[in-house]
Amino acid sequence: MRSSAGIPGCVAALAVIGSLLSAAPAPAASIKGAVVYNGPALEKKMIPINIDQYVCGKSRESDELVVAANRGIRWAVVSLQSAPAGARSEPPSKPVQMDQQGCVYAPRVVIVQVNGTVDFLNGDPLLHNLHSVSTENPTFNRTQPKGRTIPIVFKKAETIRVDCDLHTWMRAWIVVAEHPFYAVTGPSGDFALDNIPPGKYTLKVWQEALGTVTRDVTVGDKDTTGVTVEMGKK
Ligand SMILES: [Cu+2]
């Protein structure tokens, strides 16, 4: 009697253990670090402004290559060259926003996943336009009065340049990403890529003025793998 009652109990216990194991999240770590400039000394590049000065100002510093005092590069795009095997890639639920403030795109670089939407906003009290340069996605050239939101869906992975034809210094980049493992560096060149299972990866770093560099990274058992990527040496 004992054995016939014990076997189903044992099976039930195994089933519980099995379900706990399958529910346990896969180990995942973060790659955290910074993109750092190691090229020749940079000179301040000022852009004179002679239109719409009441909103845009009289001159501004170029944003093509913004390097902090700690040599960190802002607005570099860091990504895994390919997503970890088995990584889930869900379509983005919320549009990404890109505003125009004081005749500058804000932020200068956004990441949107394939099939995601960018809502272009115009917070300035004047007319801008959105003129894209792309090869995989349809190009667009839209005038944008103040307050109007222009949503655009991006269906193919590529990096797209957007300029304003009215204010020649205005430039933005839309990085259409194939997977979620992309990040834009912050003001001190810092970035973080999360939810990465242990393994070997190639990190790709792109910056509009400096091009692309790659770096092999091994993610081990630790929670965080630190990486510093240098770029800019001529
Ligand atoms: Cu403009």
Side-chain angles (χ1 to χ4, degrees):
M1 286 299 283
R2 271 185 74 190
S3 62
S4 65
I7 287 168
C10 186
V11 170
L14 282 175
V16 169
I17 291 167
S19 70
L20 283 175
L21 283 175
S22 63
S30 299
I31 300 175
K32 283 189 182 164
V35 180
V36 169
Y37 181 73
N38 68 350
L42 295 168
E43 279 175 32
K44 236 184 194 181
K45 202 165 138 193
M46 295 304 290
I47 302 162
I49 295 176
N50 49 24
I51 180 174
D52 294 332
Q53 290 178 337
Y54 72 108
V55 175
C56 308
K58 291 185 175 161
S59 70
R60 60 169 298 112
E61 207 174 328
S62 167
D63 288 326
E64 271 175 15
L65 176 56
V66 178
V67 177
N70 69 349
R71 295 191 297 135
I73 300 174
R74 189 173 196 181
W75 291 314
V77 177
V78 183
S79 63
L80 297 186
Q81 192 143 283
S82 46
R88 280 186 305 157
S89 186
E90 289 165 11
S93 54
K94 269 198 326 196
V96 175
Q97 291 194 335
M98 178 173 281
D99 201 355
Q100 292 162 89
Q101 295 169 352
C103 308
V104 179
Y105 291 105
R108 185 175 178 89
V109 181
V110 293
I111 290 161
V112 61
Q113 276 194 69
V114 168
N115 292 322
T117 303
V118 177
D119 278 345
F120 290 92
L121 313 175
N122 179 5
D124 281 340
L126 46 67
L127 188 75
H128 288 298
N129 98 313
L130 303 167
H131 195 168
S132 76
V133 178
S134 63
T135 53
E136 302 296 322
N137 293 270
T139 54
F140 51 90
N141 188 1
R142 306 272 299 269
T143 57
Q144 187 173 32
K146 66 176 179 179
R148 179 181 295 173
T149 299
I150 299 180
I152 294 179
V153 179
F154 295 91
K155 296 196 168 167
K156 298 274 178 65
E158 73 170 319
T159 298
I160 297 167
R161 197 179 86 205
V162 177
D163 294 322
C164 174
D165 296 324
L166 303 170
H167 308 104
T168 50
W169 63 90
M170 289 182 69
R171 174 161 289 178
W173 298 91
I174 313 298
V175 179
V176 189
E178 283 171 295
H179 57 69
F181 303 91
Y182 277 72
V184 181
T185 55
S188 53
D190 51 298
F191 71 89
L193 295 169
D194 298 323
N195 298 319
I196 301 173
K200 287 181 192 283
Y201 299 97
T202 300
L203 209 59
K204 191 168 126 186
V205 182
W206 172 84
Q207 199 281 337
E208 61 181 279
L210 300 175
T212 301
V213 298
T214 58
R215 180 72 193 274
D216 291 336
V217 177
T218 300
V219 173
D221 299 336
K222 286 185 290 183
D223 287 346
T224 302
T225 303
V227 179
T228 299
V229 181
E230 299 202 325
M231 67 192 305
K233 202 165 256 174
K234 288 274 155 69

